[in-house]
């Protein structure tokens, strides 16, 4: 309720004048629509209606009785009127009946009383409208509230024709456009539905709605709705993100859009008897500004983000000023992130410094204090790009996807010197810089003075930071920078490495999953070939050898020839990308190289295996098949057990062998530091 009151203040400031109350957390709005509000509930609602009036906002109370209403039962109609009378007594003068997202099948009693579902809804709506004294504002949301729901189409929809012909002319109709979430709404589409409804509709826009996907939030501008629509509508309502504070951009840019008339000038937008003159107090243009008066989503977004930055830098903590917060940021570290959110150690942010404590000063050779610079406008531009709109990513997000796609497809340039190697490394560094910008944005956002905004955004920015981190590690692995990431070849990932839960599992089992990805690319399936190893392959795999220690290194380098039938090579379209080699009896080789392996180990696990694949093989399946074939050859040769040697820093292959299931670490004395031995019985 407090956030709704704050919303009224913003509406008044930005020139918006209407609020439709239809929240799902008010059970008596939909599921228990017959129940009257308790005295306590009614008082809260009265206060909200009063706050709306105080800020010149028309408060529309919506009720949704369609889930279980028997339209032909007079007692049901009486219950509906009784409920709306109660709300009217609280000071509300505008109402709405919603019949969206309900079963279109009528009960037997209603089928006897009405010729169609549309006739039933219209009859009840007209009766309630007249019972309330034909209020100036009365909205009707049809069950077929978008073009895609109409059978067979808008122009031939018997449902819409009934609504247009039978609904009293003083009742306005809500419409979401071509779809539930419409990418574009054209003038032609509005003219078409207006002719059927016999009135101009009110757009109920879902372009910024995110209640259908808990991992998405939309911070892009209001767009793809030409301002030529304005004189053809009775009004525009936006159904934005569930979270309050991130709706700053959605509502701000809608207000900017509503200000513009079709000719690009500034004027009140008079829409017949129902005036939704949604105006924005507009700052005068400087002499050097673009004089193009048409609505620009890009400019509207820039204006919104500029104003939003001021809100970010306004502390929501009583008694703490912006100056003192900035002093903390610049001297000792930023404000505390949300206390109730648990984070991985790698994601920890510096804690808020108590202003009363003495400042800690690091000594020589000690870690410097971790501080975060104040949030910038560029940070908010990046945030908007990462969480743009339902049908498109922002420019920076598109660039990151394009670069990752190119780096992945040309990964062979990172594995061996080619004419594209220099370009690959340059673009990999640019991608890394973009990923780092996301991390820095996360840090600065987490430490902005206004923590209330952070509470609404935190889960989303944590999620995108995690996704960017995985992509960043993958590119570094392809370029062999730093330690190889175990996540790249992990067939048993941690919960934070994948997304979706049960809903995601269902979607992945259904046909067409992913065909609405915003970054579209042709389907590609890597084809791998496993063949016997031959001496000529030594040159082709030379760039892999540096990863092998000890005896495995000698085997891989060719100093020790593999046993017959125990040498396999993995190839993809770009050449050799992995191999599996083995010695059926490693005891002689250990003696020859003066190795540190014990007789007891070699007695139980006489065979040595060496398996490696390049980072570009992100799917663990080819490596598993390679190892399976090699172990089968060793078993056929009479071996009863195998071992392999790996460095602790080779996280990819350590993770691979541990997830195979049959290899376990064994203790071996006198091994070089950082080397582990894994073994398996056959």
């Amino acid at each position: 309720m407090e956030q709704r009151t704050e919303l009224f203040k913003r509406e008044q400031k930005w020139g918006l004048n209407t609020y439709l109350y239809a929240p799902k957390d008010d059970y008596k709005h939909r599921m228990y629509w017959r129940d009257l509000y308790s005295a306590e509930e009614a008082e809260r609602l009265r206060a909200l209606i009063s706050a709306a009036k105080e800020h010149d906002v028309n408060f529309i109370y919506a009720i949704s009785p369609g889930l279980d209403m028997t339209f032909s039962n007079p007692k049901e109609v009486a219950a509906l009127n009784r409920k709306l009378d109660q709300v009217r007594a609280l000071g509300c003068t505008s109402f709405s009946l919603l019949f969206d997202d309900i079963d279109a099948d009528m009960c037997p009693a209603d089928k006897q009383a009405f010729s169609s579902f549309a006739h039933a809804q219209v009859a009840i709506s007209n009766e309630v409208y007249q019972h309330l004294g034909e209020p100036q504002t009365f909205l009707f949301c049809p069950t077929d509230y978008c073009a895609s729901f109409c059978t067979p189409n808008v122009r031939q929809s018997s449902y819409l024709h009934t609504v247009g012909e039978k609904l009293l002319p003083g009742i306005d109709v809500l419409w979401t456009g071509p779809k539930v979430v419409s990418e574009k709404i054209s003038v032609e589409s509005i003219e078409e539905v207006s002719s059927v409804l016999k009135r101009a509709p009110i757009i109920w826009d879902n372009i910024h709605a995110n209640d259908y996907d808990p991992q998405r939030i939309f911070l892009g501008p209001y767009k793809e709705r030409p301002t030529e629509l304005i004189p053809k509508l009775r009004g525009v309502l936006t159904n934005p993100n569930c979270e309050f504070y991130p709706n700053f951009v959605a509502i701000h840019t809608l207000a900017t859009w509503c200000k513009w008339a079709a000719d690009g000038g500034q004027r009140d937008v008079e829409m017949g008897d129902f005036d939704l003159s949604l105006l924005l107090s507009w700052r005068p243009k400087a002499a050097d500004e673009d004089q193009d008066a048409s609505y620009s989503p890009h400019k509207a977004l820039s204006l919104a983000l500029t104003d939003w930055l001021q809100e970010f830098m306004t502390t929501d903590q009583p008694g703490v000023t912006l100056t003192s917060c900035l002093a903390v940021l610049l001297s000792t570290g930023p404000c505390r992130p949300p206390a109730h959110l648990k984070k991985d150690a790698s994601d920890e942010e510096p804690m808020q410094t108590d202003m009363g404590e003495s400042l800690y000063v690091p000594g020589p050779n000690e870690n410097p204090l971790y501080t975060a610079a104040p949030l910038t406008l560029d940070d908010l531009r990046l945030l908007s790009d990462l969480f743009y709109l339902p049908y498109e990513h922002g420019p920076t997000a598109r660039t990151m996807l394009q670069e990752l796609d190119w780096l992945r497809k040309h990964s062979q340039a990172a594995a061996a010197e080619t004419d594209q190697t220099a370009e690959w490394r340059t673009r990999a560094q640019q991608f890394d810089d973009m990923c780092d910008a996301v991390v820095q944005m996360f840090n600065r956002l987490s430490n902005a003075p206004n923590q209330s905004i952070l509470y609404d955004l935190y889960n989303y920015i944590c999620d995108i930071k995690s996704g960017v981190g995985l992509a960043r590690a993958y590119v570094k692995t392809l370029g062999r920078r730093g330690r190889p990431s175990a996540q790249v070849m992990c067939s048993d990932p941690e919960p934070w490495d994948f997304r979706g839960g049960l809903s995601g599992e269902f979607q992945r089992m259904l046909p067409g999953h992913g065909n609405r990805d915003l970054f579209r690319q042709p389907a590609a399936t890597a084809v791998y070939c496993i063949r016997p190893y031959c001496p000529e392959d030594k040159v082709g795999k030379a760039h892999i050898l540096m990863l092998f220690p000890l005896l495995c290194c000698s085997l891989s380098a060719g100093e020790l020839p593999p046993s017959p039938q125990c040498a396999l090579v993995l190839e993809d379209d770009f050449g050799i990308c992995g191999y599996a080699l083995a010695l059926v009896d490693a005891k002689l080789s250990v003696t020859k190289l003066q190795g540190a392996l014990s007789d007891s180990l070699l007695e139980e696990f006489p065979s040595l295996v060496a398996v490696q694949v390049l980072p570009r093989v992100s799917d663990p399946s080819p490596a598993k098949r390679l190892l399976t074939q090699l172990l089968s050859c060793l078993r056929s040769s009479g071996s009863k057990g195998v071992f392999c040697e790996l460095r602790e820093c080779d996280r990819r292959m350590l993770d691979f062998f541990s997830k195979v299931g049959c290899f376990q670490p064994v203790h071996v004395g006198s091994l070089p530091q950082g080397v582990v031995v894994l073994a398996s019985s056959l």
Side-chain angles (χ1 to χ4, degrees):
M1 290 295 186
E2 293 79 8
Q3 290 180 340
R4 290 169 184 140
T5 301
E6 176 63 28
L7 175 61
F8 300 154
K9 297 177 183 178
R10 297 186 181 193
E11 287 197 68
Q12 184 179 41
K13 177 181 178 181
W14 296 339
L16 300 167
N17 66 1
T18 301
Y19 175 75
L20 178 68
Y21 177 88
K24 296 297 190 293
D25 62 354
D26 181 345
Y27 301 132
K28 295 179 181 179
H29 149 73
R30 186 174 174 90
M31 185 173 295
Y32 302 111
W33 61 270
R34 299 174 185 83
D35 296 353
L36 296 178
Y37 289 107
S38 67
E40 183 180 356
E41 293 167 339
E43 190 54 40
R44 285 200 299 266
L45 195 54
R46 184 196 304 274
L48 195 64
I49 294 169
S50 176
K53 289 181 178 179
E54 180 183 345
H55 296 287
D56 299 322
V57 172
N58 182 23
F59 184 97
I60 304 175
Y61 177 83
I63 192 166
S64 183
L67 284 176
D68 58 0
M69 182 179 190
T70 300
F71 292 85
S72 57
N73 187 340
K75 293 182 179 180
E76 293 280 76
V77 181
L80 182 57
N81 286 334
R82 183 170 60 250
K83 178 67 166 287
L84 294 178
D85 283 341
Q86 183 194 30
V87 177
R88 181 168 55 172
L90 301 177
C92 183
T93 59
S94 300
F95 301 90
S96 178
L97 285 182
L98 308 181
F99 296 106
D100 58 315
D101 303 331
I102 59 175
D103 190 350
D105 290 335
M106 292 191 292
C107 65
D110 286 344
K111 288 180 179 179
Q112 290 182 354
F114 301 104
S115 58
S116 72
F117 200 32
H119 283 89
Q121 293 176 357
V122 167
I124 295 301
S125 299
N126 288 341
E127 184 173 347
V128 171
Y129 173 64
Q130 292 174 327
H131 170 81
L132 293 172
E134 299 188 0
Q136 183 178 356
T137 302
F138 191 92
L139 311 185
F140 170 86
C141 182
T143 304
D144 294 355
Y145 55 81
C146 63
S148 64
F149 285 1
C150 296
T151 304
N153 52 51
V154 170
R155 194 169 297 278
Q156 297 175 283
S157 168
S158 60
Y159 177 93
L160 288 188
H161 275 287
T162 300
V163 171
E165 294 167 1
K166 302 296 184 181
L167 195 68
L168 290 174
I171 301 177
D172 288 296
V173 179
L174 295 167
W175 185 252
T176 66
K179 304 173 74 173
V180 177
V181 181
S182 296
E183 181 178 8
K184 300 177 181 180
I185 301 178
S186 68
V187 171
E188 294 75 18
S189 70
I190 294 302
E191 290 175 339
E192 180 183 45
V193 73
S194 298
S195 67
V196 177
L197 294 175
K198 301 186 185 307
R199 71 202 77 198
I202 292 177
I203 293 297
W204 189 347
D205 210 328
N206 287 315
I207 190 63
H208 286 100
N210 73 333
D211 54 354
Y212 54 84
D213 189 340
Q215 288 185 295
R216 302 180 74 185
I217 196 166
F218 301 112
L219 307 178
Y222 193 73
K223 63 181 298 190
E224 301 295 354
R225 284 96 172 111
T227 52
E228 287 80 7
L229 284 170
I230 292 176
K232 299 181 180 297
L233 298 171
R234 296 278 284 169
V236 178
L237 295 166
T238 182
N239 182 31
N241 299 287
C242 294
E243 298 81 4
F244 172 66
Y245 288 101
N247 282 321
F248 192 101
V249 171
I251 301 173
H252 195 293
T253 57
L254 171 65
T256 306
W257 179 90
C258 288
K259 171 204 90 61
W260 295 106
D263 61 2
Q266 298 182 44
R267 65 175 178 87
D268 287 353
V269 186
E270 298 291 340
M271 302 175 185
D273 296 331
F274 185 40
D275 177 17
L276 279 183
S277 51
L278 307 177
L279 301 180
L280 175 67
S281 299
W282 193 252
R283 62 187 69 176
K285 284 192 174 184
D288 58 345
E289 284 188 356
D290 183 7
Q291 296 301 309
D292 182 6
S294 62
Y295 172 78
S296 164
H298 176 74
K299 292 178 183 178
L301 177 61
S302 295
L303 177 63
L305 293 178
T306 300
D307 289 350
W308 202 19
L309 180 62
Q310 297 178 19
E311 182 171 294
F312 267 102
M313 301 309 292
T314 302
T315 179
D316 58 348
Q317 301 176 21
V320 182
T321 65
L322 175 59
T323 303
S324 66
C325 251
L326 287 177
V328 174
L329 285 169
L330 296 174
S331 62
T332 62
C335 299
R336 181 191 300 269
H340 71 285
L341 297 175
K342 280 192 172 183
K343 296 179 292 180
D344 184 82
S346 62
D347 287 336
E348 285 185 1
E349 306 301 332
M351 304 298 283
Q352 181 182 13
T353 300
D354 191 328
M355 298 297 290
E357 294 180 1
S358 59
L359 302 182
Y360 170 74
V361 179
N365 301 321
E366 293 184 346
N367 282 329
L369 289 173
Y370 177 37
T371 61
L375 192 69
T376 68
L377 186 58
D378 284 340
D379 289 326
L380 294 189
R381 290 194 182 102
L382 175 58
L383 179 68
S384 175
D385 278 358
L386 299 177
F387 300 97
Y388 203 63
L389 289 172
Y391 292 94
E392 63 177 312
H393 297 299
T396 302
R398 289 198 304 270
T399 299
M400 294 182 74
L401 288 169
Q402 290 164 357
E403 289 302 296
L404 178 59
D405 186 53
W406 187 91
L407 291 167
R408 180 176 59 85
K409 289 179 177 177
H410 297 82
S411 59
Q412 74 279 7
E417 291 294 332
T418 69
D419 55 356
Q420 288 186 320
T421 298
E423 180 185 4
W424 195 96
R425 290 173 179 166
T426 299
R427 294 177 72 161
Q429 183 57 53
Q430 292 171 346
F431 180 79
D432 191 77
D433 292 342
M434 288 187 283
C435 293
D436 186 66
V438 174
V439 174
Q440 297 308 317
M441 177 270 292
F442 172 88
N443 291 338
R444 289 190 283 264
L445 192 63
S446 297
N447 293 279
N450 193 325
Q451 296 282 286
S452 294
I453 308 177
L454 178 61
Y455 283 120
D456 281 353
L457 287 172
Y458 195 81
N459 286 339
Y460 298 102
I461 60 175
C462 261
D463 185 66
I464 194 64
K465 177 173 174 277
S466 173
V468 166
L470 289 173
R472 190 181 194 184
Y474 175 60
V475 171
K476 286 185 176 181
T477 300
L478 292 178
R480 293 195 289 171
R481 293 172 50 201
R483 294 190 304 173
S485 172
Q487 295 164 324
V488 175
M489 279 192 60
C490 183
S491 61
D492 182 23
E494 293 278 8
W496 55 80
D497 288 339
F498 60 90
R499 303 290 186 267
L502 179 60
S503 176
E505 297 286 352
F506 281 131
Q507 291 180 38
R508 282 187 285 273
M509 294 176 68
L510 301 177
H513 173 68
N515 64 358
R516 292 303 299 164
D517 286 346
L518 302 187
F519 182 69
R520 297 179 176 87
Q521 54 182 327
T525 301
V527 177
Y528 297 96
C529 172
I530 297 177
R531 61 170 178 80
Y533 171 82
C534 60
E536 291 77 11
D537 292 326
K538 181 178 180 180
V539 175
K541 64 180 179 59
H543 55 279
I544 310 178
L545 301 184
M546 65 184 68
L547 297 176
F548 278 88
L550 303 175
L551 193 59
C552 290
C553 184
S554 300
L555 176 61
S556 302
E559 297 174 11
L560 294 173
S563 300
Q565 311 301 319
C566 293
L568 302 171
V569 169
L570 181 69
E571 285 186 318
D572 60 11
D573 292 340
F574 307 112
I576 293 177
C577 56
Y579 56 83
L581 311 175
L583 292 173
V584 175
D585 186 358
K587 184 176 297 185
L588 294 177
S589 301
V590 170
T591 303
K592 177 180 177 181
L593 295 175
Q594 298 180 346
L597 300 177
S598 64
D599 290 340
S600 59
L601 172 71
L602 295 174
E603 180 67 27
E604 187 175 358
F605 308 104
S607 301
L608 167 70
V609 297
V611 179
Q612 186 59 278
V613 295
L614 289 177
R616 70 172 184 253
V617 184
S618 56
D619 182 357
S621 300
K624 284 185 176 180
R625 184 163 297 182
L626 193 67
L627 178 61
T628 299
Q629 290 192 24
L630 184 65
L631 295 181
S632 178
C633 292
L634 289 170
R635 191 180 295 107
S636 300
S637 300
S639 176
K640 64 179 183 178
V642 298
F643 72 93
C644 65
E645 301 166 320
L646 294 170
R647 295 193 186 278
E648 290 180 348
C649 62
D650 190 0
R651 296 176 58 201
R652 290 176 66 252
M653 297 312 297
L654 276 172
D655 185 77
F656 168 74
F657 274 103
S658 64
K659 298 296 171 56
V660 167
C662 56
F663 280 83
Q664 301 294 330
V666 294
H667 175 71
V668 178
S670 304
L671 277 179
Q673 186 175 3
V675 174
V676 297
V677 173
L678 303 177
S680 173
S681 299
L682 295 179

